[in-house]
Amino acid sequence: DAKTTQPNSMESNEEEPVHLPCNHSTISGTDYIHWYRQLPSQGPEYVIHGLTSNVNNRMASLAIAEDRKSSTLILHRATLRDAAVYYCMGSSNTGKLIFGQGTTLQVKP
Amino acid sequence: NAGVMQNPRHLVRRRGQEARLRCSPMKGHSHVYWYRQLPEEGLKFMVYLQKENIIDESGMPKERFSAEFPKEGPSILRIQQVVRGDSAAYFCASSPPHPGQVNYGYTFGSGTRLTVV
């Protein structure tokens, strides 16, 4: 399982973009990079995943470094509802997801 | 299409009692994963089950904890003789069968918050 490193916390202003970094230098060539978030008192919520190319969906964008040792989750316009703990992780063919400590994102009005 | 359903949402047990937590996966999903989140901590993998089969229980405590996913009905996480340290939020997720790498998002339930008094 890939070891991931994320900053403990980040702050953003409402309506501004947020870039959440993640280092995953030990990820294998076939592991997908997944991002989940957990809002207070709720279960984890899938955000986005990718392998090599940058990915976009309605929630966010995922920028993956060319060497795949790091990635950045981009929230284009942060809202107060985006305040959560954001987790990045590598998948594996074992099926289980291994959560790290994540980044606590605070969004200021 | 209902998501992953967990019940009860809140469960209070006295020390020494048994706790049973249920997880109904999304329709068509045959794989279930259980996670535990202790207060102010991250999510820890516990067990991965297919119907009638435990695939990976590497995160399960050696004693008092068991899990099953019968052919019919929800997956059950059972904690016998609960202690105060079992107080936590327990989440389950479900997925369809995946022959290789996980190339989709898992859906998690809202969790069961167990309080041992």
Side-chain angles (χ1 to χ4, degrees):
Chain A
D1 298 319
K3 178 174 167 53
T4 59
T5 304
Q6 299 178 254
N8 286 333
S9 62
M10 291 184 66
E11 280 187 1
S12 171
N13 293 318
E14 200 175 7
E15 303 288 315
E16 291 185 355
V18 181
H19 290 229
L20 297 160
C22 177
N23 288 322
H24 34 75
S25 57
T26 61
I27 198 168
S28 79
T30 56
D31 286 356
Y32 283 81
I33 298 154
H34 289 249
W35 284 80
Y36 283 76
R37 71 180 185 181
Q38 187 176 23
L39 279 64
S41 302
Q42 295 189 28
E45 176 187 27
Y46 165 77
V47 178
I48 200 166
H49 76 283
L51 186 61
T52 56
S53 304
N54 293 345
V55 184
N56 300 294
N57 66 20
R58 64 175 181 81
M59 290 181 70
S61 296
L62 177 59
I64 302 172
E66 197 169 331
D67 62 8
R68 289 186 18 98
K69 293 184 184 301
S70 65
S71 63
T72 301
L73 179 71
I74 302 165
L75 306 179
H76 295 285
R77 289 180 64 194
T79 69
L80 296 178
R81 289 179 298 175
D82 291 322
V85 181
Y86 286 78
Y87 299 95
C88 74
M89 67 203 79
S91 70
S92 72
N93 58 11
T94 65
K96 62 189 182 188
L97 298 173
I98 303 299
F99 289 80
Q101 290 304 307
T103 297
T104 300
L105 175 66
Q106 291 183 316
V107 180
K108 296 184 288 185
Chain B
N1 184 17
V4 176
M5 305 300 292
Q6 289 189 250
N7 65 81
R9 285 295 302 273
H10 300 274
L11 182 63
V12 179
R13 284 287 177 266
R14 296 185 184 279
R15 281 178 295 171
Q17 290 185 319
E18 178 180 287
R20 281 182 177 246
L21 288 61
R22 293 177 206 68
C23 171
S24 297
M26 288 185 69
K27 187 176 180 181
H29 286 190
S30 57
H31 294 215
V32 164
Y33 313 81
W34 285 92
Y35 288 79
R36 177 166 68 171
Q37 188 168 35
L38 294 168
E40 307 302 322
E41 293 193 14
L43 291 131
K44 302 295 183 189
F45 168 79
M46 298 182 76
V47 63
Y48 164 24
L49 309 108
Q50 292 177 6
K51 281 190 181 287
E52 300 184 286
N53 195 17
I54 296 174
I55 305 301
D56 182 344
E57 56 182 346
S58 58
M60 287 281 269
K62 292 289 185 280
E63 297 176 346
R64 301 187 298 108
F65 284 72
S66 62
E68 63 176 5
F69 189 15
K71 186 176 180 181
E72 302 291 336
S75 174
I76 306 287
L77 179 67
R78 182 182 178 208
I79 311 172
Q80 294 179 289
Q81 299 176 315
V82 296
V83 301
R84 289 234 170 95
D86 297 331
S87 295
Y90 293 82
F91 295 98
C92 77
S94 73
S95 75
H98 49 84
Q101 282 289 346
V102 179
N103 186 18
Y104 46 80
Y106 287 2
T107 302
F108 281 80
S110 298
T112 292
R113 281 146 185 83
L114 173 66
T115 302
V116 179
V117 297

